[in-house]
Amino acid sequence: MLRLGPLAAAGRLLPAGPRFGPPRPSGGRVSLSRSRPPGPVGDRGLLARQVRAAAGSAGGGRSPVLKTPKGTRDHPPAHAALRDRLLAAVVTCFKRHGAAAIDTPVLELRETLMGKYGEDTKLIYELQDQGGELLALRYDLTVPFARYLAMNKITNMKRYHVAKVYRRDNPATTRGRYREFYQCDFDIAGQFDPMIPDAECLKIVHEILSDLQLGDFLIKVNDRRILDGMFAVCGVPDSKFRTICSSVDKLDKIPWEEVRSEMVGEKGLSPEAADHIGDYVQLHGGLDLIEQLLQDPKLSQNKLAKEGLGDMKLLFEYLTLFGITGKISFDLSLARGLDYYTGVIFEAVLLQPENDHVEEPVSVGSVAGGGRYDGLVGMFDPKGRKVPCVGVSIGIERIFSILEQRVEASEEKIRTTETQVLVASAQKKLLEERLKLISELWNAGIKAEVLYKKNPKLLNQLQYCEDTGIPLVAIVGEQELKDGVVKLRVVATREEVNVRRESLVEEIRMRTSRP
């Protein structure tokens, strides 16, 4: 099992070291003239002058603004290395559960996305009409997956998808909220017996959050049918179900008094109905609460609510078999505002530890969410044929922000490369021998580097290994060449051993293999 626990305690981020090319013009196109002789120097110098001229004319003589757009950011090598390990841990779990990978375009037809996200539809990035199709950037990976199933007439599939999505949100980058960010989705499509796929999705969330060792967490579960039944018995008109659901979805961010005020003042709900909702949404628990609500005189008479509570009871029985109910809470305040959910919904949050001033742990943010959406595929099928689906999305950006903060607070370094060995020389005029040796290593699949100098000092070569975390140095010298050996140095211990050249590859593999 791949764990990222050590990453949480791993160390100081390495400096980024970006490479700056010529600044890009802020407007217009650069036309490459052929008036100068072709060649790297002539073309590059001409391009640089034209870029500067274009930038100056477009910006009134000012230098171009060098920044990323709001809600986005660059990732230096240390960040990228940390993210790769995090994504690898998540994908390993998805594969462990038998999912196959797919990919879909970052662009979708605008009509594919519209009307699927409730009040969040306004956050979709719509693109200008380019004289053809009306397009938008994908908002999530679930709607494109449903479109993919309908378009290809697929009725049974277990898939995962890791890709970037885009939202015109007000970003809070300190809390891992961006306008461009990764989602990691796992979904099960097909007609199966109730709650078995749903339970597996919750098990996956539990496995990932346990493996990453982020701290204490809680997975909240509810059911859209229970919510709709609750709204009905509380006196909410059918036409207001979705908009009131969006208000309830804010309970993890603002107190009940503010949610009630929005329901009554902005959405026209009666104060009595809002108060009845308040009695229910403050309830949370486990099987005992489910049994209690099954006996509730109002909810038990509502067909939708009774059906949802029955499935919730079955879900908890399966979760008990998985041994994870200690981290699961049936929470009637959980709503998840997306319109396409039809059944079980869930959300995982990280908890702050208890202390003397707080009676119970406090949520510090959602790190996963999902649910059942049995009607979404049918919205795209010409004949309205439904494919039941349930899935989960891991909030990789929020998790990455947490790990990043922990790394920056420690003092160790994160390796940004996987280089196993540096090929070095102790004397001058051995560049050819270094290049011959590194070619042998590359051909054998060894990850190796060499400094780009004819006669580098040995001390500089060893220092490069120290700085970048390369564990081994293969040193060629005149005597080693005569004896048919290579001196292999372990950077951490400074131990040196002579290895026969024909045995070098195996020796490097043995010394750098992970237990």
Side-chain angles (χ1 to χ4, degrees):
M1 184 177 290
L2 180 58
R3 296 182 177 271
L4 279 193
L7 287 178
R12 177 174 62 83
L13 295 179
L14 292 172
R19 298 178 181 177
F20 295 100
R24 299 181 63 181
S26 56
R29 292 188 177 182
V30 175
S31 174
L32 295 181
S33 169
R34 290 295 181 186
S35 60
R36 298 176 69 89
V41 177
D43 283 350
R44 196 173 297 169
L46 173 63
L47 176 61
R49 285 194 298 277
Q50 290 181 321
V51 167
R52 285 195 295 270
S57 62
R62 293 176 300 169
S63 298
V65 177
L66 293 177
K67 66 181 288 293
T68 59
K70 182 180 180 182
T72 67
R73 63 171 177 167
D74 294 322
H75 290 282
H79 287 196
L82 185 63
R83 180 188 297 276
D84 285 349
R85 297 182 206 178
L86 177 57
L87 291 174
V90 173
V91 169
T92 294
C93 181
F94 291 164
K95 290 181 176 180
R96 186 161 62 238
H97 286 261
I102 70 165
D103 195 16
T104 62
V106 69
L107 302 174
E108 291 282 351
L109 294 179
R110 192 184 299 178
E111 65 184 67
T112 299
L113 304 184
M114 292 301 171
K116 312 300 190 303
Y117 303 107
E119 294 183 359
D120 284 350
T121 295
K122 63 182 181 292
L123 302 181
I124 293 174
Y125 270 107
E126 300 179 38
L127 303 182
Q128 287 186 343
D129 183 0
Q130 301 295 323
E133 299 168 322
L134 297 178
L135 304 176
L137 297 180
R138 62 186 173 205
Y139 176 91
D140 68 1
L141 301 179
T142 305
V143 170
F145 176 53
R147 188 265 308 153
Y148 172 86
L149 292 175
M151 193 174 82
N152 294 284
K153 297 179 172 56
I154 297 171
T155 59
N156 191 311
M157 187 179 195
K158 185 188 291 187
R159 82 88 166 89
Y160 75 89
H161 190 182
V162 177
K164 287 183 176 181
V165 298
Y166 301 86
R167 299 182 184 179
R168 286 172 45 195
D169 205 351
N170 287 322
T173 54
T174 55
R175 295 189 291 116
R177 293 181 67 89
Y178 297 90
R179 289 180 168 178
E180 176 194 61
F181 57 94
Y182 274 101
Q183 280 194 339
C184 302
D185 283 18
F186 174 99
D187 292 81
I188 301 172
Q191 187 71 52
F192 303 107
D193 288 339
M195 296 298 105
I196 301 175
D198 310 62
E200 182 172 9
C201 286
L202 289 165
K203 180 69 166 69
I204 285 171
V205 176
H206 188 279
E207 285 180 15
I208 289 173
L209 295 183
S210 298
D211 285 356
L212 296 181
Q213 299 180 14
L214 298 171
D216 198 13
F217 63 89
L218 184 68
I219 305 173
K220 302 177 183 181
V221 297
N222 199 0
D223 194 296
R224 269 293 172 83
R225 294 166 296 176
I226 299 173
L227 273 172
D228 287 351
M230 178 184 73
F231 292 152
V233 303
C234 290
V236 179
D238 290 358
S239 61
K240 292 185 181 293
F241 275 17
R242 291 286 74 87
T243 185
I244 295 302
C245 187
S246 294
S247 295
V248 172
D249 191 43
K250 299 175 183 177
L251 277 171
D252 63 334
K253 305 177 184 71
I254 59 177
W256 163 247
E257 291 74 19
E258 293 183 34
V259 171
R260 183 187 183 280
S261 176
E262 179 183 294
M263 289 178 176
V264 176
E266 298 178 23
K267 300 187 175 179
L269 188 66
S270 70
E272 295 78 16
D275 290 337
H276 285 316
I277 291 173
D279 292 337
Y280 282 113
V281 296
Q282 298 179 57
L283 299 175
H284 54 88
L287 269 173
D288 290 345
L289 177 58
I290 298 170
E291 296 286 3
Q292 175 189 326
L293 293 176
L294 282 169
Q295 303 303 316
D296 184 281
K298 293 182 179 179
L299 280 182
S300 62
Q301 300 305 309
N302 182 278
K303 182 182 177 182
L304 269 181
K306 190 173 182 180
E307 185 180 291
L309 287 166
D311 279 351
M312 186 64 65
K313 182 179 179 181
L314 184 60
L315 176 66
F316 264 78
E317 290 173 0
Y318 293 148
L319 298 178
T320 300
L321 296 175
F322 286 154
I324 63 173
T325 51
K327 296 290 186 182
I328 309 290
S329 172
F330 173 39
D331 191 326
L332 283 171
S333 71
L334 180 64
R336 294 193 64 78
L338 300 181
D339 278 0
Y340 52 66
Y341 287 125
T342 57
V344 167
I345 50 177
F346 45 87
E347 185 170 276
V349 296
L350 296 183
L351 303 175
Q352 289 178 339
E354 297 182 55
N355 57 47
D356 295 338
H357 307 291
V358 181
E359 292 183 3
E360 54 184 63
V362 179
S363 166
V364 294
S366 170
V367 291
R372 176 161 287 279
Y373 51 102
D374 289 348
L376 188 56
V377 177
M379 295 174 70
F380 298 111
D381 190 281
K383 297 182 179 180
R385 289 170 294 199
K386 293 185 177 181
V387 178
C389 298
V390 64
V392 59
S393 182
I394 305 299
I396 211 72
E397 298 292 348
R398 177 68 60 84
I399 294 173
F400 178 75
S401 293
I402 293 168
L403 291 179
E404 183 184 355
Q405 290 168 11
R406 294 183 182 180
V407 164
E408 288 176 339
S410 59
E411 296 182 356
E412 295 180 31
K413 294 179 181 178
I414 284 187
R415 284 199 66 189
T416 60
T417 70
E418 298 180 2
T419 306
Q420 297 167 279
V421 61
L422 177 78
V423 176
S425 59
Q427 293 104 18
K428 294 182 178 181
K429 298 182 180 180
L430 289 174
L431 175 61
E432 289 185 4
E433 297 300 332
R434 283 192 290 142
L435 295 182
K436 287 180 185 177
L437 179 56
I438 198 169
S439 182
E440 292 175 17
L441 296 178
W442 285 336
N443 291 341
I446 297 296
K447 298 168 184 173
E449 289 186 59
V450 64
L451 294 194
Y452 305 130
K453 293 179 73 69
K454 285 186 176 181
N455 299 304
K457 295 180 180 178
L458 181 60
L459 184 60
N460 291 343
Q461 296 171 91
L462 298 178
Q463 187 61 49
Y464 179 77
C465 294
E466 294 274 2
D467 294 341
T468 58
I470 298 174
L472 299 173
V473 188
I475 303 173
V476 291
E478 293 175 358
Q479 188 60 47
E480 286 80 11
L481 291 171
K482 290 178 183 177
D483 296 341
V485 300
V486 175
K487 184 176 291 183
L488 195 62
R489 179 185 175 101
V490 180
V491 176
T493 63
R494 301 185 180 180
E495 168 198 355
E496 293 183 347
V497 58
N498 286 334
V499 180
R500 299 294 304 175
R501 188 147 179 158
E502 59 270 19
S503 304
L504 181 61
V505 168
E506 194 57 41
E507 184 71 18
I508 292 172
R509 285 178 180 155
M510 182 192 71
R511 289 179 177 266
T512 56
S513 62
R514 294 176 181 175

